[in-house]
Amino acid sequence: MSQAIGNTALAYARVWHHVDASDRVLGKLAERIALVLMGKHKPIYDPSVDCGDYVIVTNSRNIKVTGRKEEQLLFRKHTMFPGGLKETPYKVMKERKPDEIIRHAVSGMLPKNKLRERRLERLRIFPGIHMGVQGANVFKSWDDGTLPPDYDPKRITTTMTLKENWRLGTPKQP
C-alpha cells in the first residue's frame, strides 16, 4: 500500500531574510525582495498560495538610484479632493521617509492581486543599522544564505553584528 506524501509544513515555513541596502541599486534590490516575498525562491511556489518569507531591510537611507533619477524621480499621491495631487521629490522623500521609497518600489513589483497587501506586511524596513527585536528572527543573510557560525537568538542583532558573523565568520567575544 503506497501513500502519496504532500507538501510538508516545513516547506511552507517562513524564514526571515536580512538585507543591507547600503549602496544597493533601488530597482534591483526591490526585484529581489519581491521574489522572496512571493516565495518564488521555493520549490513549492504556487501563484495562488502565499508561501513567501519575511524580509528585513536595514540602512534604507543609503539606497542608490542610477542615472539622473535622483533629480527627476517624483513620488505622487492624491488626497481625493479637487486639486489634491501632492508631489514629493526623491531627495526630500529620502530625508523624511526612506522606508517608503523601498516599500513603493517593492509594491510596484508585486502582482496586483488580493495577496499584495499581505505580502507587503512581511516587509520590515529600517533607516539605520538597528532592527530592534525582529533581528533575533533573522536566519538568512543574502550574501551567502547560511546561518552564522555562532548564532544566538538572545543576542541583540544589528547590521554590524550580522556582518561580523556572516562575512568574517569570527566568534563573538564573551
Side-chain angles (χ1 to χ4, degrees):
M1 179 174 189
S2 67
Q3 180 177 353
I5 298 176
N7 294 329
T8 63
L10 185 60
Y12 282 98
R14 299 193 193 278
V15 177
W16 289 69
H17 298 265
H18 171 256
V19 184
D20 186 5
S22 296
D23 301 325
R24 303 281 297 265
V25 177
L26 176 62
K28 293 178 182 180
L29 180 67
E31 177 192 12
R32 179 101 187 252
I33 291 171
L35 290 177
V36 172
L37 289 175
M38 286 188 285
K40 280 195 166 187
H41 63 292
K42 295 182 176 183
I44 57 163
Y45 172 72
D46 182 20
S48 63
V49 176
D50 189 15
C51 61
D53 292 339
Y54 289 89
V55 178
I56 296 177
V57 181
T58 55
N59 293 321
S60 63
R61 278 196 202 281
N62 303 331
I63 195 87
K64 303 288 183 204
V65 289
T66 58
R68 296 182 56 201
K69 291 186 197 93
E70 198 156 347
E71 297 91 29
Q72 295 176 344
L73 193 61
L74 292 174
F75 291 92
R76 294 182 175 97
K77 65 179 184 177
H78 205 286
T79 63
M80 302 311 288
F81 287 99
L85 180 65
K86 305 292 181 187
E87 293 182 342
T88 309
Y90 173 79
K91 289 182 180 181
V92 174
M93 191 72 133
K94 191 173 180 181
E95 291 299 318
R96 290 186 191 162
K97 297 180 183 177
D99 56 324
E100 286 299 316
I101 294 173
I102 296 177
R103 190 174 311 281
H104 185 266
V106 171
S107 175
M109 294 193 182
L110 288 173
K112 283 63 172 178
N113 58 22
K114 293 181 179 182
L115 298 175
R116 181 187 212 181
E117 290 303 317
R118 195 182 319 168
R119 288 172 174 159
L120 281 174
E121 287 174 3
R122 290 196 307 269
L123 176 63
R124 313 291 163 88
I125 304 171
F126 299 97
I129 62 170
H130 295 288
M131 59 186 91
V133 179
Q134 297 169 348
N137 297 326
V138 174
F139 268 175
K140 290 188 178 181
S141 173
W142 281 12
D143 292 334
D144 55 4
T146 60
L147 285 173
D150 61 340
Y151 178 71
D152 182 13
K154 294 181 179 98
R155 185 175 175 205
I156 295 175
T157 309
T158 64
T159 304
M160 296 303 165
T161 57
L162 288 174
K163 284 181 183 177
E164 278 177 17
N165 292 339
W166 267 288
R167 294 193 180 129
L168 303 177
T170 57
K172 68 177 180 179
Q173 302 300 323

